[in-house]
Amino acid sequence: VTSIKEVARRAGVAPSSVTRVLNGHPYVSANMAERVFQAVNELGYRPDLVAAGLRRGTSKTVGVIISDIINPSIAQLVDVLETSLRSAGYGVLLASSHGDPKMDVESVFLLRQRRIDGLVVMCVDEGTTELHAALTLWGGPTVLVDRQIDELDDASGVLSAHRQGSLRLASHLLELGHRQIGFVDGGLLGSRYVWRERLAGLRQAYDDYDLPFGSMVIQTPRATGENGRRATAELLDSDAPPTAIVVGPNLMLSGALVELGRRQINVGSDIALACLDDVPVAQLHQPPITALRRDIGEVARTAASLLLAQMTQEATRPRTVVLPTELHIRESTTTFVRPTANDRRTRKTPSREAIAEGLTTG
Amino acid sequence: VTSIKEVARRAGVAPSSVTRVLNGHPYVSANMAERVFQAVNELGYRPDLVAAGLRRGTSKTVGVIISDIINPSIAQLVDVLETSLRSAGYGVLLASSHGDPKMDVESVFLLRQRRIDGLVVMCVDEGTTELHAALTLWGGPTVLVDRQIDELDDASGVLSAHRQGSLRLASHLLELGHRQIGFVDGGLLGSRYVWRERLAGLRQAYDDYDLPFGSMVIQTPRATGENGRRATAELLDSDAPPTAIVVGPNLMLSGALVELGRRQINVGSDIALACLDDVPVAQLHQPPITALRRDIGEVARTAASLLLAQMTQEATRPRTVVLPTELHIRESTTTFVRPTANDRRTRKTPSREAIAEGLTTG
DNA sequence: TTGAAAGCGCTAACAA
DNA sequence: TTGTTAGCGCTTTCAA
């Protein structure tokens, strides 16, 4: 309500001088600075960032496109992202697509209309040409999180090494003698990149052991508890039920645990179970559940810093950073009586790091 | 990048005419409208909402202050809120406090600087005078969700009938013969209103049955799985261990289940268990867990519509709406062998609706 | 070191 | 029915 003019009038100076004082212009007399500060305090003046942005050509606002905030991992990402960006003076404009790829596209347009300085993309489907077109049209600083768009060459990216993680987890299970691995994840509405990489790692593990691909893979549209439960039931009811199950995080894991509980199948002793994200429940569960861990906070902080670099430094080239995934082996897979002990074999290639990616690429 | 001037030039009209066409001004010739639309399409023009907002004095943006988006209930609220507001043409600026009441206050100032048209408050601590001062200074359309600030008389509110729900749940347990009820919730960093009301309902239930208050109440600072587990352990290790446990949602519930599992205490047969929110796990669990349900989507939609009413209709008085809570009784409480059958008694007042609040108040 | 003036992109009042 | 003009609140030349 109080504008810069009122402050100027009260301090007996010109509006431009108020700006100079507040923005730390080098040439201001101590006398004027003091008068301005006093007026500012008396009036409780806070500059209008929208007006300033219009003039400066920068809004100090970042758009964040998310597929579905109900997913706790995404919620955490948004949380840390907001913290990092806020401390750099940026506000976060949120656009959720609720699992609808069309909203991904519309969000890009809407955020662009709001003059965002940068964009973080955690969309539903990064594979549509409409989205590629919209992002190209936008053309500003962009970071893709756990998504890959080859058609977009001037965007930064933060990826987790899902393929490597999946490979390690599957190798762990194959090493223990498992041959039938059930694989349940909510991939249809979510990142294509993550799904593709996880599956590739799984395939590679069988390949490394010179075994035929023995996984039954179920991809659910949404990562809900009911879908997790149903997919688990489907696995258990199949002709060749798995001796080990790998399941997506959060509600999917809960759903799987519920179905196993109903059938009185004990995790660890009757079946091996592992989770694709190291969520709290995995650690709390008795027995503790083997899981892949990635540092979501670091993913978010990296995304923020890549974006800030692009927004503040003109010359910054977009970069893609791949962050590591760790396998945390716990009792849910280690206490299992070896299912096919007579068929033990070792990896044909000695190094399990064969496909390890470099941690950063230009 | 393309401004209204370029559109005007291409269409051979004045900029103001472009505005008129795009904003549906009544007096525009079909001829001009067509030329403008064509130019708009050719250039892919989308008006700059920031500039329009500066001129109009309205930003079509709403600020949302949240305590912690990690909480799935809050995530869902934000999700539905965003949907409702977006379809009314508003963008959502998110400000998370990460459990720090000071950030609540700072967020109000920051959002104000960004010229928001309205504010949704789901802050960490609605009880500080600093926040009251900041909100009063802001003075625009405001909706408090599950929070109550008496000092603020021109804000709308959406509340859930937590007291009534808690009363019903506790009555249900007392009716079954339980006398020692363990009560675990993460209230310290979160809404004072919710905590206060839930506790009041619990107290009232004992009162209605003319029984001495027999609950052991544990308030954890954050609603984490580990805190839920630890509080449950504390209850079970106490001198008078409870025969029934009431626990907060999500991770708190998971934590409680874990601790009971570790001790081989079977839910339903060895102990009664109920949850303060009807989260998916409560329904999936075997046996299904008795829970209080509120429609979070409706809470969010109500908040959105109250805010929209205040933002669009000048004369709208702020309102507070109380939405119902339902008790869903499931096997986790009904299969329990009555713990103190020799001490059965009925409620002294016949109506359990004694404290039922009216569903809406001015 | 400070003030006056112009302008960011849009819209609304006024004039034609 | 349409064009011209002024101005939202701020910042940035330019001039003093």
Side-chain angles (χ1 to χ4, degrees), chain A residues 114, chain B residues 53 56-63 89-91 93 111-112 114-120 138-142 307 310-312:
Chain A
R114 291 180 183 281
Chain B
R56 280 215 184 101
T58 156
S59 63
K60 286 281 184 182
T61 303
V62 166
Y90 288 83
L93 257 167
L111 292 172
R112 205 163 67 105
R114 291 181 181 282
R115 271 184 164 254
I116 51 166
D117 292 343
L119 186 61
V120 178
W138 144 241
T142 306
L307 192 63
Q310 280 193 77
M311 292 190 301
T312 53

Side-chain angles (χ1 to χ4, degrees), chain A residues 44 46-51 54 59-61 68-70 75-76 78-79 82-83 86 89-96 98 103 106-107 109-110 112-115 225-226 229 251 254-255 258 262 280-281 283-286, chain B residues 44 46-51 54 59-61 68-70 75-76 78-79 82-83 86 89-96 98 103 106-107 109-110 112-115 225-226 229 251 254-255 258 262 280-281 283-286:
Chain A
R46 293 259 197 156
D48 181 330
L49 293 179
V50 170
L54 181 62
S59 64
K60 285 283 185 180
T61 303
D68 202 344
I69 202 161
I70 301 306
Q76 197 186 340
V78 170
D79 193 54
E82 197 263 353
T83 312
R86 178 200 281 229
Y90 288 83
V92 166
L93 213 45
L94 195 71
S96 170
H98 314 277
M103 296 204 88
E106 197 46 39
S107 294
F109 285 109
L110 273 171
R112 205 163 66 106
Q113 283 192 269
R114 291 180 183 281
R115 272 184 165 253
E226 181 55 21
R229 192 199 59 70
L251 287 175
S254 294
V258 162
R262 285 191 189 168
V281 175
Q283 300 173 52
L284 283 167
H285 191 266
Q286 206 65 351
Chain B
R46 293 261 195 154
D48 181 331
L49 293 180
V50 170
L54 182 62
S59 63
K60 286 281 184 182
T61 303
D68 202 342
I69 203 162
I70 301 305
Q76 196 186 340
V78 170
D79 194 54
E82 198 264 353
T83 312
R86 178 200 280 228
Y90 288 83
V92 166
L93 257 167
L94 195 72
S96 169
H98 313 277
M103 296 204 88
E106 198 45 39
S107 294
F109 284 110
L110 273 171
R112 205 163 67 105
Q113 283 193 267
R114 291 181 181 282
R115 271 184 164 254
E226 181 54 23
R229 191 199 59 70
L251 287 174
S254 294
V258 163
R262 285 193 188 166
V281 175
Q283 300 174 52
L284 284 166
H285 190 266
Q286 208 64 353

Side-chain angles (χ1 to χ4, degrees), chain B residues 216-235:
Chain B
M216 180 169 170
V217 174
I218 300 183
Q219 184 183 28
T220 67
R222 286 192 77 193
T224 65
E226 181 54 23
N227 283 342
R229 191 199 59 70
R230 200 176 306 158
T232 306
E234 196 180 326
L235 287 176

Side-chain angles (χ1 to χ4, degrees), chain A residues 53-71:
Chain A
L54 181 62
R55 174 63 230 241
R56 280 213 184 102
T58 156
S59 64
K60 285 283 185 180
T61 303
V62 166
V64 177
I65 295 179
I66 56 176
S67 56
D68 202 344
I69 202 161
I70 301 306
N71 182 329

Side-chain angles (χ1 to χ4, degrees), chain B residues 253-269:
Chain B
L253 173 60
S254 294
L257 288 173
V258 163
E259 186 61 26
L260 293 171
R262 285 193 188 166
R263 297 179 184 227
Q264 313 257 21
I265 299 174
N266 286 319
V267 172
S269 50

